[in-house]
Amino acid sequence: MKLELETLDERQTLMTRKYGYQSFLLLIALVLINAFICEVVYVWAEPMVSALFVVYIALLYFAIRTQLRVGIGKIKSKWKFALAMVPFALIGGVMGYAAATPGEAGLIADGKATINLWILFFLFWAILVVAAVIIRRRRDKRDGNQAERSDGR
Amino acid sequence: MAKNLRLKAARAAKDMSQQTLADAVGVTRQTVNAIEMGDYNPTIRLCAAICRALGKTLDELFWEEIE
């Protein structure tokens, strides 16, 4: 009997849920820490920007963990991989340009982080996720070669 | 969790690669590798599928004696 492979197998589903749960806990912790900092220490950014930063960190954790451990998105062809990276490059380029262009506010205005700083961090996020994808692909290739060797093929 | 060498031996005896076995049971090669390395504890459904693909029983592949 051959079972059909759907999007994720049982290990991948389990790991995705595990990292999703961890990201959620991280999000709650960061929201509380951010609230404490803003109330007690210093208002370091506008409310919307600080919220985006908190979401950004939780998303970054989830994206990197799932890429490294779960390997979502099975892209075998180098051309397909390059094609999948195009949206990242486009988004990153546009965001980077927007951040670098002098506007009404720079990265920090009146002692507070601005939306431009968050945009710059988004570019950083894209780079990190792409790096995680590349690391995972190399590791998969290495593990695959080792498995083939141990099979005597 | 210890490595599952019996699974690896049964697969090799059938002249199957990890990828072939993974395709036969509907999971990724990484999952088969994780089971063999003892990094992942599969569900009974996947255990049964692996046993069918390799022509073995659950006892032969997955039963561990408690010492």
Side-chain angles (χ1 to χ4, degrees):
Chain A
M1 183 182 71
K2 184 177 178 180
L3 302 175
E4 289 299 319
L5 177 63
E6 294 178 357
T7 348
L8 299 175
D9 68 23
E10 61 175 46
R11 182 189 63 89
Q12 289 175 314
T13 310
L14 186 77
M15 300 299 269
T16 308
R17 286 177 184 164
K18 179 183 166 186
Y19 295 136
Y21 178 66
Q22 288 177 355
S23 304
F24 178 65
L25 292 182
L26 179 66
L27 183 67
I28 292 172
L30 288 173
V31 166
L32 293 176
I33 291 168
N34 183 46
F36 174 79
I37 290 172
C38 289
E39 283 296 320
V40 177
V41 185
Y42 176 67
V43 180
W44 61 279
E46 295 296 328
M48 187 192 75
V49 176
S50 63
L52 284 175
F53 264 101
V54 165
V55 171
Y56 160 85
I57 293 169
L59 265 180
L60 182 66
Y61 175 81
F62 181 74
I64 290 179
R65 289 289 275 177
T66 47
Q67 274 306 322
L68 287 178
R69 294 283 303 194
V70 181
I72 291 174
K74 198 175 180 181
I75 308 165
K76 283 187 175 176
S77 156
K78 282 184 179 176
W79 284 107
K80 283 183 182 173
F81 177 70
L83 201 64
M85 290 301 109
V86 168
F88 272 110
L90 283 177
I91 294 170
V94 170
M95 296 295 189
Y97 177 76
T101 306
E104 292 179 1
L107 297 179
I108 295 172
D110 298 331
K112 292 178 184 175
T114 65
I115 189 75
N116 286 355
L117 189 62
W118 184 82
I119 289 169
L120 200 63
F121 268 67
F122 185 85
L123 176 63
F124 186 57
W125 179 86
I127 292 168
L128 280 180
V129 172
V130 170
V133 171
I134 292 168
I135 290 169
R136 194 250 304 170
R137 278 171 55 86
R138 285 190 173 184
R139 195 176 56 193
D140 280 355
K141 199 175 175 183
R142 187 197 61 207
D143 289 350
N145 290 339
Q146 281 176 356
E148 291 296 311
R149 276 201 297 276
S150 67
D151 289 337
R153 285 159 190 270
Chain B
M1 204 159 64
K3 287 184 181 181
N4 193 335
L5 296 176
R6 282 176 290 173
L7 171 58
K8 192 171 183 175
R11 178 174 60 75
K14 276 259 183 183
D15 199 25
M16 292 173 89
S17 66
Q18 286 184 349
Q19 187 64 60
T20 317
L21 177 60
D23 292 341
V25 298
V27 296
T28 56
R29 186 195 61 74
Q30 288 80 2
T31 296
V32 172
N33 188 51
I35 295 168
E36 287 186 1
M37 298 302 289
D39 293 334
Y40 174 63
N41 195 7
T43 61
I44 188 71
R45 184 169 170 269
L46 180 54
C47 289
I50 290 171
C51 289
R52 282 194 201 98
L54 296 176
K56 298 279 184 182
T57 63
L58 281 169
D59 275 7
E60 287 172 323
L61 290 186
F62 294 103
W63 184 257
E64 289 179 3
E65 292 293 339
I66 301 170
E67 294 175 6

